[in-house]
Amino acid sequence: MNEYNFASATVLLLLITDPLGNIPIFANALKRVEPARRARVILREVLIAFVLLLAFMFMGAGFLRLMNLSDLSLQIAGGVVLFLIALRMIFPPPFEEQVSDAHEPLIVPLAVPALAGPSALATVLLLVSQAPERRLEWVAALTVTMLVCAVVLVLAERIQRLVGERVVMAFERLMGLILVAISVEMLLRGFKAVLRAA
């Protein structure tokens, strides 16, 4: 029985890419970019992240074979990574102001690792490895996720003004709690499979 469907995969990808949590990162990186160009830069970075995740999705099976990794090891490793990401969402480290580059950010740090980070790459690999025949469904879930990220990040300044930073932070912690539950469920299923195989 398959663990994920289109809806649950979309929610999982949204929790991992965390567009609301990425608002401060994007705002800091785009400080020195002209306001008129910010939306274009955001859309470009989201597109780069989408292409990268899509490439991993289609080359995932080959990558697993090349690295001699089993689906089970990927599931357990993915659960561990998601758990660590979720803990950082619930207990975020103090936000350190970084000096923005005078030039427009390109690929790093916005497309990678803010959107297409290790956890997102591991997740698309996990989805495809569990149900390669439903690859088009996972592509649709990734497309919806990237569209939501694009809309949220383009409207980031308005969202912050409308709901306030505290509401954004509270929502991110709530998403972190949900992601903890998902990661624990992944680990439990992985360990149960190990025990059955032993």
Side-chain angles (χ1 to χ4, degrees), residues 1 13 27 74 79 110 112 128 139 153 163-164 179 185:
M1 183 173 164
L13 287 168
L74 183 63
L110 302 184
V112 180
V128 173
V139 170
L153 293 169
V163 301
L179 198 55
E185 182 65 26

Side-chain angles (χ1 to χ4, degrees), residues 77-101:
V80 172
V81 171
L82 291 187
F83 185 76
L84 295 175
I85 294 291
L87 286 182
R88 286 178 64 86
M89 290 170 69
I90 299 171
F91 307 107
F95 179 70
E96 296 179 1
E97 192 75 13
Q98 297 177 349
V99 179
S100 298
D101 194 338

Side-chain angles (χ1 to χ4, degrees), residues 16-17 28 73 86 99 105 129 131 137 169 178 181 198:
I16 291 166
T17 52
N28 186 54
S73 64
V99 179
S129 70
E137 199 171 335
M169 288 173 59
I178 296 171

Side-chain angles (χ1 to χ4, degrees), residues 10-69:
T10 303
V11 171
L12 179 61
L13 287 168
L14 279 171
L15 288 169
I16 291 166
T17 52
D18 191 17
L20 285 175
N22 278 322
I23 287 177
I25 297 170
F26 273 69
N28 186 54
L30 297 174
K31 270 183 181 177
R32 301 194 181 187
V33 177
E34 294 179 11
R37 281 193 55 79
R38 287 176 187 168
R40 186 182 299 180
V41 172
I42 289 170
L43 293 176
R44 182 190 68 206
E45 297 301 300
V46 171
L47 181 61
I48 291 170
F50 175 69
V51 170
L52 181 59
L53 290 169
L54 203 59
F56 260 71
M57 190 174 282
F58 279 91
M59 297 187 300
F63 178 78
L64 289 176
R65 285 194 299 270
L66 180 66
M67 301 301 293
N68 198 26
L69 296 172

Side-chain angles (χ1 to χ4, degrees), residues 75-80 83 182-192:
Q75 176 165 338
I76 294 174
V80 172
F83 185 76
I182 292 173
S183 65
V184 169
E185 182 65 26
M186 287 174 64
L187 288 170
L188 288 175
R189 286 177 178 170
F191 292 143
K192 284 178 183 176

